[in-house]
Amino acid sequence: MPVIDTLIFDWDGTLADSVGHIVRAMQAAAEAVGLNVPSAHAVRGIIGLALPEAAEVLFPRDRHLAAAVVEAYRDFYLSGEQVPVGLFPGVREALDGWREQGFQLAVATGKGRKGLARILEQHQMLDYFDATRCADESVSKPDPTMLHQLVGELDTSASRALMVGDSGFDIQMAHNAGMRALAVSYGAQSKEQLLALSPLHCIDEFAELPVWLRTQGVVAAHK
């Protein structure tokens, strides 16, 4: 594999075990504003999009209520966050290891800036990432703008970075940016859905990622 110096991660469903929390909050929001409650499968299908775009996809016939759904979702999500959403097993240890090896670490997420800052603070991870980009300060996935901004800020290039995510939007975003993508099947979307988009590889649990990187001979490249 060519040189990689930057690892970019989605947050929800990739680093954090938050998919169930998102599903419950969206279903409660729909019920609160009088819309038909979407299935868990439908909600999982929009995870990764910016919240306004997600609401429009889920409720295309009720776009006049999109703003109300978004506000209700935020309220329900926050109220359910009294117990912080956990990280997947092995995440913190792997991030520590990659930092020590010299990789640049970044996050590209459909979350808003306030939401990402809150969860990073809860996990005492505000200093773990060299750069982060959120949907409310960029363009929603699968547009490649977030990735372009991140590699620009980190003084690297798409060819030297790897995007890791659990949704088709992550894989498509990477393809659109000319970046390699690795899929994870334990988050929002199934392995079959992800493989259909031709990621570089697909792992079934986060702990497989450090092992896979080593087997591919990926080591941090110092500029």
Side-chain angles (χ1 to χ4, degrees):
M1 178 184 287
V3 168
I4 297 291
D5 60 27
T6 302
L7 304 176
I8 304 175
F9 299 92
D10 170 58
W11 184 263
D12 292 308
T14 300
L15 299 181
D17 190 6
S18 49
V19 170
H21 188 47
I22 293 170
V23 169
R24 290 188 293 273
M26 186 59 77
Q27 290 177 327
E31 185 174 13
V33 302
L35 293 172
N36 291 328
V37 176
S39 68
H41 177 75
V43 179
R44 292 168 77 94
I46 54 82
I47 292 175
L49 291 176
L51 192 49
E53 284 81 355
E56 290 188 2
V57 171
L58 281 175
F59 312 107
R61 298 180 182 179
D62 301 283
R63 293 191 175 185
H64 60 292
L65 291 175
V69 171
V70 167
E71 289 306 311
Y73 170 85
R74 287 176 174 146
D75 290 341
F76 281 111
Y77 190 93
L78 187 58
S79 66
E81 217 177 42
Q82 300 305 312
V83 177
V85 170
L87 303 177
F88 286 107
V91 165
R92 189 180 296 272
E93 296 81 1
L95 293 175
D96 284 338
W98 290 321
R99 291 172 72 194
E100 291 175 2
Q101 294 166 33
F103 285 103
Q104 297 188 110
L105 303 179
V107 170
T109 178
K111 298 180 80 66
R113 173 55 62 185
K114 288 183 179 179
L116 180 63
R118 186 173 62 249
I119 193 67
L120 288 176
E121 184 174 13
Q122 288 172 342
H123 286 285
Q124 299 181 327
M125 296 178 71
L126 288 171
D127 63 344
Y128 264 63
F129 298 99
D130 299 287
T132 59
R133 198 61 89 246
C134 299
D136 61 352
E137 60 196 13
S138 187
V139 184
S140 179
K141 303 172 184 180
D143 187 281
T145 298
M146 278 197 277
L147 296 182
H148 291 323
Q149 291 172 338
L150 286 170
V151 297
E153 180 176 344
L154 295 173
D155 191 25
T156 186
S157 65
S159 65
R160 296 168 69 93
L162 176 69
M163 175 68 205
V164 182
D166 69 315
S167 79
F169 304 119
D170 297 315
I171 309 307
Q172 291 171 333
M173 176 176 66
H175 289 335
N176 291 341
M179 185 179 296
R180 296 174 184 83
L182 184 138
V184 306
S185 66
Y186 52 78
Q189 296 184 3
S190 71
K191 191 168 189 173
E192 291 73 22
Q193 289 173 299
L194 296 167
L195 289 176
L197 295 170
S198 302
L200 192 62
H201 185 62
C202 184
I203 59 174
D204 298 321
E205 56 184 52
F206 188 85
E208 295 177 22
L209 182 52
V211 177
W212 182 81
L213 289 174
R214 287 196 298 271
T215 63
Q216 297 299 306
V218 177
V219 294
H222 300 282
K223 295 187 289 294

